[in-house]
Amino acid sequence: MGRQTISTFKVRDSIAIITIDNPPQNMLPDPVFIDPELIKRCFADDKIKGIVIAGKGRHFSAGADMERLRFLALDENRFMARLRDGKELLDSIEALPIPSIAAIEGACFGGGLEIALACHIRVCARNAILAFPEVNHGLMPGMGGTVRLPGFIGYGKALEAVLSGDIIGAERALEIGLADHLAPAKETLDFSLQLMKKMVADRPIEVIRSIVHSLNNSRTMAASEAMEEETRMFCRLAGKLNG
Amino acid sequence: MTFRFFEDLEIPVVAAIRGVCLGSALELALFCHCRICGEGSVLGLPEATFGLLPGCGGIQKLRALTGLPRALELILSGTTFSTDDALRWGIIDSIVPKESTVGAAVNFIRAVGSSYQRACIGSYIHKYLRRDGWHP
């Protein structure tokens, strides 16, 4: 197997489940929280139709371990490289051609929230709390958080969240578009798996990949280009209907 | 000619939706500058349920209106949704009594037409009604 990380990976009913497993708060000792090879596998494996990321136990992830971060920051070059690897990992999760859901219980802070923002959909437990507390330590989100957050909640609210470091409760998160669904506490993983099944269970993998790919295009391409690509994919799928 | 033709027109284009508005029909409506729905209308992009995807630009338009997470869920699941949900999610602009759907659309266009000089209607549309969100 690939490199040792704090997360576990298993596939159940064609859905990959990544569990951030560093109890009690699932802090992230390293920006690379899962073996990137496993994410690469999800690009190509026809048997994996979706990904759900959850935290082990009561919390999603409380983010970076400050002690460990101070230690890593002593060697600037090495630290930069680690952060870059972490950022690349989140970029690859965001670019996956299959849907991804973050199932968020309890604390989802800093790096944890950056992971959740790289997913397509966020399901929050009613007791979930989300924040970018970096500013309280004289820092800022370092793996794309400031770039991704405005896309979901708008520039003004993003500025407020990142500069204040304030905690956002689940209800408020739903209201502003940071969360897409609320689920009862302890049931977010089941809820997320149900939601994923509703989206992918009866769909051939080519249909899933085409749709997600097209939606991902809307973030990276001009509208006209993305629409042309969409029509091409439609024709390719339509050609298969008779065969 | 594609649906973009309607979006690019510099006069207001309003979709007056009543009853079912599914698949390409909803795609067409998404390319209008504004969507007015009769009560009880049913909307949806069910293409994925028969092995296809919305292929006339609907994926990009829905995403621009309601954001990637909801668009992904609605398109992949292919489930239909109500006007109340559509309004809440930003997919439509208003709900009116069923029998006055077309009348409401006409009134809307009259209001836009009378409050602005014809010459500036185009820029009005592009500034206020075209909610692309593609190039924020």
Side-chain angles (χ1 to χ4, degrees), chain A residues 99 120-122 180-181 195 199 203 207 210-212 214-215 218-219 223-224 226-227 230-231 234 237-238 241, chain B residues 4 27 31 48-61 63 68-69 71-73 75-77 134-135:
Chain A
H120 291 121
I121 294 170
R122 281 150 297 285
D180 302 294
H181 290 279
L195 176 62
M199 293 194 286
R203 311 273 172 267
V207 172
S210 301
I211 289 173
V212 176
S214 182
L215 273 165
S218 69
R219 310 198 243 226
S224 52
M227 284 188 193
E230 180 190 282
T231 306
F234 178 87
L237 290 176
L241 287 181
Chain B
R4 287 210 93 169
E27 289 189 271
F31 276 86
T49 61
F50 35 87
L52 291 172
L53 53 76
C56 306
I59 294 180
Q60 313 302 324
K61 291 304 287 182
R63 190 259 175 189
L68 191 143
L72 179 73
E73 199 181 316
I75 295 168
L76 262 184
S77 70
W134 291 321
H135 309 289

Side-chain angles (χ1 to χ4, degrees), chain A residues 6 46 68 101-102 112 117 124 131 135-136 143 194 211 220-221 238:
Chain A
I6 59 158
D46 288 355
R68 171 99 179 129
I101 299 177
L117 287 174
C124 281
V135 72
N136 298 321
M143 292 197 294
Q194 284 305 320
I211 289 173
T220 54
M221 284 181 179

Side-chain angles (χ1 to χ4, degrees), chain B:
Chain B
M1 195 170 83
T2 65
F3 287 166
R4 287 210 93 169
F5 170 83
F6 297 101
E7 179 178 55
D8 288 337
L9 283 175
E10 294 205 341
I11 50 173
V13 182
V14 178
I17 300 167
R18 206 167 68 169
V20 285
C21 180
L22 301 175
S24 318
L26 180 55
E27 289 189 271
L28 173 58
L30 293 176
F31 276 86
C32 296
H33 299 128
C34 154
R35 283 149 295 285
I36 294 175
C37 267
E39 276 166 356
S41 303
V42 175
L43 302 94
L45 292 172
E47 286 86 344
T49 61
F50 35 87
L52 291 172
L53 53 76
C56 306
I59 294 180
Q60 313 302 324
K61 291 304 287 182
L62 193 68
R63 190 259 175 189
L65 287 170
T66 191
L68 191 143
R70 178 113 37 222
L72 179 73
E73 199 181 316
L74 290 174
I75 295 168
L76 262 184
S77 70
T79 48
T80 56
F81 46 94
S82 67
T83 51
D84 286 349
D85 283 340
L87 185 67
R88 196 152 46 87
W89 296 335
I91 298 168
I92 64 169
D93 301 282
S94 64
I95 302 172
V96 298
K98 198 160 67 175
E99 53 286 352
S100 52
T101 312
V102 174
V106 170
N107 285 342
F108 173 81
I109 290 174
R110 285 207 179 111
V112 174
S114 62
S115 51
Y116 288 82
Q117 293 292 326
R118 199 183 151 69
C120 72
I121 288 179
S123 63
Y124 173 77
I125 287 169
H126 287 278
K127 212 161 148 196
Y128 297 105
L129 295 180
R130 261 186 71 153
R131 293 181 300 168
D132 279 358
W134 291 321
H135 309 289

